[in-house]
Amino acid sequence: MSRYLLRQLLGMIVLLLVTSFVIYASLFLAPGSPDALLFGAHTVSPALRAAVNRQYHLNDPFLQQYWYWLVNVLHGNFGTSITYRTPVALRLSAAAPVTAFLVIYSAILIIVSGVALGVLSALRPGKLDTLIMTATNIGTAVPTFVAGLILLAIFGVKLNWFPVYGAGAGFFDRLRHLTLPAVALAFWAVAYLTRVTRTSMREELQGDPVMTARSRGLSRRVVVQRHAFRNALIPIVTVAGLQVAGLIAGTVIVEQVFGLNGLGELLLTSVQDKDFATVQAVSLILVAAFIVVNTLVDITYTMLDPRIRLGANQS
Amino acid sequence: MTHLLEIDHLSVDLVTHRRYRKVLQDVSITVEKAEVVSLVGESGSGKSMTARSVLNLLPAQGKMSGNIAFEGQSLMDNTNKDWQRFRATKAAMIFQDPRASINPVHRIGDFLTEALVHNRDMDRHEALERAATILEQVGIDDAKRRLRQFPHELSGGMLQRVMIASVLLIEPQLILADEPTTALDVTTQADVIAILDDQRAQREMAMLFITHDLELAAAFSDRIAVMYAGYIVEVSTPAQLHARPLHPYTAALLRSRPLLHERTERLPQISGRPLSAFEAPPGCPFQDRCPYVQAQCSESLPPTQLINGSIVRCHRANELELASTASADAGTEGGQSRE
């Protein structure tokens, strides 16, 4: 078990290194260069240009530049924003909490309501099931930005229950400000997870282990919890993990719709400003979060399915 | 005299492709205390559904009619709670494929003790102690370690012993064994059957044993019921069944076995294909494949008759003289009739 964990963590670190390289290299290949951006249309003396190049290590070989960047990033130094002349880390520390709050809030909404609705739907065939399935049909068809605009129009503008702009300060104010964005972000994911949960539960309820449990005279509660739900969790965790990881990318859109100064918003403006250091830093953080979530899902599997643990020991 | 289990004119309908279809027709059979009754027949003949009906474990929307009584008490008006209590104390089932039926995510110890812990509020440690004792009785060494293992760490034969142990732990009066060795290697089949029968006999439990293996059924049952297309066509003792089968289907089944002491170029087969109950024509369900078919066979369903202590459902049971081996009637294609 611990060997399996170690292997997962090692794999995660290697993957993080590879992605950091890809992120760094892809910006290197992108059109425009830092010095062109800095000087714009101004003509500058070769001495000044050389000084700037030296300061940013722009003349060093590519791999060496990557190495400088990596070492700095590992020390928490993401460089200085070329456009704003402020440390990138400072801008990140302002934006990251908003996005993190939004993602966690939305993830909780997705997992709790998706699993609850799916289980309910599987256990109560008939009207309730039909109602939930109709709702999820609509839900899966609504893109996040449409859901966001509709929620804004109804609960923000018309009913005036929630603020339409900004991230708020302090926990409860932030909760209120981020409710509509989190719901918008969760919308189709809840619908999808509900369907997966329902299918998975249905399958387990008709499966052999449930039949065995029923034949032993176990109560419906024990059969549903210990056998049907427990076994259905494996596909549920897979899909939930993918969706939570997907939320990290989804925040880019929602932050635009709701005017939130999160990482997605920061990424978008930095790309427009050709702010290399910031784009690199934000991309790296988003990708790292994605990888960490996936690793957590993998580790959860081993707790859910003992057969995976054996596979790790044998190899 | 009350029987331990009495199935009386049981019919079962299941939904397939959105419509009800018959899978059991007018099935009547009894099992006495400590008795072993085998249900033998081809796939789809209704043997498993008969056993599942006893525990009310039919697939969704399945319908039962007729009567099932246990110790003289009808089970047909049971509430869900009554069924739970019945399954928890009176009758327990051994399933065909332990690899599929034992939940792969729980430890062997949890599988064995969950019924005791949840149904009888037994202390977990006490339940584990008891499980270890029974595991040793069914021939599993190192029981304490096995209890902590997961199903995938055990072989198929081991797992089926675990399944048997889980039934013994419930201490039911009736074991329903649904082809308990079909999924196992031939070499482990004999061991598993021997252990099952031995432990059952020690505890004086009755058993309804489902198999398609006539030899196996004959080896350790008190009576054998032969099923075809959802009907029971013959009920007899193993000795009598082999010496003088009364139903043409039973005789044909017996003749199509390979024999150890005789060389056969080609085993006799039963022409046509096995039918499900809902496909059976009016009249005798076996008429299309029967070498002795007459006009009356398609006109009416043969009633059950009692001949020399055996029960048979054939219009011509009294007049036919059937043989159980191919050589006995070689040359007279399909046996003789007295006419």
Side-chain angles (χ1 to χ4, degrees):
Chain A
M1 182 73 194
S2 59
R3 205 198 304 175
Y4 177 84
L5 264 176
L6 201 70
R7 226 173 49 158
Q8 285 290 319
L9 290 178
L10 268 177
M12 185 177 90
I13 289 166
V14 171
L15 196 57
L16 280 171
L17 275 177
V18 172
T19 47
S20 75
F21 182 80
V22 171
I23 286 168
Y24 192 82
S26 60
L27 276 193
F28 210 83
L29 294 175
S33 68
D35 58 336
L37 185 74
L38 276 174
F39 302 124
H42 305 286
T43 32
V44 288
S45 67
L48 180 58
R49 192 176 283 271
V52 166
N53 279 348
R54 224 178 5 262
Q55 189 199 334
Y56 289 104
H57 300 290
L58 293 178
N59 285 336
D60 291 356
F62 167 71
L63 282 178
Q64 204 170 353
Q65 289 191 41
Y66 168 66
W67 180 250
Y68 289 139
W69 177 73
L70 188 66
V71 169
N72 276 316
V73 164
L74 290 177
H75 286 91
N77 177 9
F78 288 92
T80 309
S81 160
I82 297 174
T83 326
Y84 292 92
R85 305 291 160 96
T86 49
V88 173
L90 205 67
R91 304 187 71 201
L92 288 179
S93 66
V98 175
T99 302
F101 196 108
L102 182 59
V103 168
I104 293 169
Y105 192 177
S106 195
I108 293 171
L109 285 180
I110 290 169
I111 292 166
V112 170
S113 46
V115 171
L117 287 173
V119 169
L120 208 62
S121 199
L123 294 179
R124 300 251 187 287
K127 275 191 189 139
L128 185 64
D129 179 39
T130 314
L131 185 73
I132 293 175
M133 281 305 103
T134 312
T136 57
N137 257 335
I138 298 166
T140 45
V142 178
T144 303
F145 69 92
V146 174
L149 290 174
I150 293 171
L151 288 172
L152 261 184
I154 298 174
F155 297 101
V157 178
K158 194 122 194 170
L159 297 171
N160 209 9
W161 289 355
F162 293 98
V164 298
Y165 186 86
F171 182 79
F172 289 103
D173 190 37
R174 180 151 288 183
L175 198 67
R176 215 169 68 82
H177 273 84
L178 291 187
T179 295
L180 288 186
V183 171
L185 203 52
F187 210 72
W188 89 263
V190 167
Y192 190 62
L193 189 61
T194 301
R195 297 186 81 94
V196 170
T197 305
R198 172 180 180 268
T199 309
S200 177
M201 276 296 281
R202 280 266 164 102
E203 215 163 90
E204 290 302 334
L205 283 169
Q206 287 160 8
D208 290 333
V210 163
M211 167 83 95
T212 311
R214 287 177 62 207
S215 81
R216 296 292 183 260
L218 295 169
S219 67
R220 184 167 163 84
R221 187 180 57 80
V222 175
V223 171
V224 168
Q225 282 177 9
R226 267 182 66 85
H227 296 280
F229 184 63
R230 177 66 180 68
N231 290 31
L233 268 180
I234 295 165
I236 293 173
V237 167
T238 311
V239 170
L242 282 174
Q243 281 172 333
V244 171
L247 286 181
I248 296 166
T251 53
V252 177
I253 294 161
V254 171
E255 286 173 9
Q256 281 292 309
V257 174
F258 289 91
L260 304 172
N261 294 315
L263 288 177
E265 169 73 16
L266 184 60
L267 180 67
L268 223 59
T269 50
S270 311
V271 168
Q272 282 160 357
D273 295 343
K274 291 196 187 300
D275 188 347
F276 283 73
T278 312
V279 173
Q280 282 167 342
V282 175
S283 310
L284 189 68
I285 286 174
L286 294 183
V287 171
F290 193 94
I291 292 173
V292 168
V293 169
N294 274 324
T295 308
L296 286 179
V297 170
D298 279 347
I299 292 170
T300 313
Y301 277 158
T302 65
M303 291 189 257
L304 289 177
D305 193 341
R307 286 164 294 187
I308 295 175
R309 270 173 258 169
L310 182 81
N313 289 339
Q314 277 173 340
S315 60
Chain B
M1 171 191 158
T2 57
H3 308 281
L4 180 68
L5 174 71
E6 180 174 17
I7 299 176
D8 200 24
H9 301 294
L10 176 72
S11 291
V12 168
D13 290 75
L14 297 182
V15 176
T16 35
H17 304 293
R18 289 165 181 267
R19 53 213 270 213
Y20 274 103
R21 283 177 164 169
K22 276 254 171 295
V23 292
L24 287 185
Q25 285 269 40
D26 198 22
V27 166
S28 299
I29 187 135
T30 57
V31 180
E32 310 303 334
K33 190 169 159 43
E35 187 192 26
V36 179
V37 175
S38 287
L39 286 179
V40 179
E42 292 162 284
S43 334
S45 60
K47 350 183 257 299
S48 293
M49 281 307 149
T50 308
R52 286 172 66 168
S53 299
V54 174
L55 290 181
N56 191 26
L57 284 176
L58 295 176
Q61 298 168 56
K63 278 195 308 198
M64 283 197 266
S65 62
N67 192 37
I68 301 176
F70 196 85
E71 295 178 309
Q73 298 273 314
S74 172
L75 305 175
M76 300 309 276
D77 299 323
N78 269 3
T79 61
N80 281 339
K81 276 267 171 277
D82 294 335
W83 278 116
Q84 275 174 27
R85 211 167 307 130
F86 177 70
R87 294 169 190 155
T89 54
K90 302 289 189 188
M93 193 143 175
I94 295 172
F95 291 89
Q96 182 171 357
D97 182 1
R99 184 90 49 214
S101 300
I102 297 179
N103 195 338
V105 307
H106 296 301
R107 289 173 200 277
I108 300 294
D110 293 327
F111 170 69
L112 287 172
T113 56
E114 67 178 352
L116 296 177
V117 172
H118 291 286
N119 295 341
R120 297 188 196 166
D121 294 319
M122 191 184 282
D123 174 64
R124 211 181 108 82
H125 290 283
E126 192 191 335
L128 280 172
E129 286 293 322
R130 211 182 272 204
T133 313
I134 297 227
L135 273 189
E136 271 158 20
Q137 287 171 6
V138 297
I140 294 183
D141 306 329
D142 209 358
K144 289 261 189 286
R145 186 170 65 90
R146 298 291 182 195
L147 289 175
R148 287 192 304 273
Q149 286 186 312
F150 285 99
H152 66 260
E153 298 173 79
L154 273 65
S155 69
M158 285 278 192
L159 270 190
Q160 196 60 299
R161 289 171 204 225
V162 169
M163 176 74 91
I164 291 169
S166 77
V167 165
L168 296 175
L169 276 166
I170 292 176
E171 294 168 347
Q173 284 159 278
L174 174 67
I175 297 174
L176 303 154
D178 187 0
E179 304 202 30
T181 58
T182 306
L184 305 180
D185 290 339
V186 182
T187 47
T188 51
Q189 283 184 0
D191 291 342
V192 169
I193 286 289
I195 285 165
L196 172 59
D197 194 43
D198 185 40
Q199 296 295 323
R200 172 206 68 76
Q202 280 181 29
R203 291 168 172 78
E204 299 193 329
M205 296 170 181
M207 179 156 71
L208 191 61
F209 184 81
I210 292 160
T211 180
H212 53 247
D213 189 338
L214 261 174
E215 298 295 334
L216 191 63
F220 72 104
S221 23
D222 299 303
R223 285 183 299 142
I224 296 176
V226 179
M227 292 195 74
Y228 184 79
Y231 290 91
I232 290 183
V233 295
E234 182 166 357
V235 183
S236 194
T237 62
Q240 213 167 349
L241 200 77
H242 278 75
R244 191 177 180 280
L246 292 173
H247 196 280
Y249 175 64
T250 315
L253 268 189
L254 287 165
R255 275 201 300 273
S256 61
R257 296 165 305 160
L259 294 173
L260 269 181
H261 51 86
E262 248 172 74
R263 227 187 135 78
T264 321
E265 281 302 312
R266 204 189 161 122
L267 289 169
Q269 63 191 43
I270 308 174
S271 61
R273 66 177 180 89
L275 298 179
S276 299
F278 72 92
E279 297 173 308
C284 174
F286 192 57
Q287 56 182 279
D288 294 337
R289 305 172 75 188
C290 182
Y292 314 102
V293 64
Q294 288 185 337
Q296 57 174 336
C297 299
S298 55
E299 279 159 13
S300 64
L301 176 70
T304 52
Q305 331 175 30
L306 194 66
I307 300 175
N308 297 332
S310 299
I311 297 165
V312 63
R313 194 187 270 280
C314 173
H315 282 304
R316 303 185 63 196
N318 270 314
E319 47 176 301
L320 293 174
E321 220 168 272
L322 303 164
S324 61
T325 52
S327 56
D329 60 4
T332 54
E333 192 62 28
Q336 297 169 319
S337 81
R338 272 183 206 163
E339 292 161 334

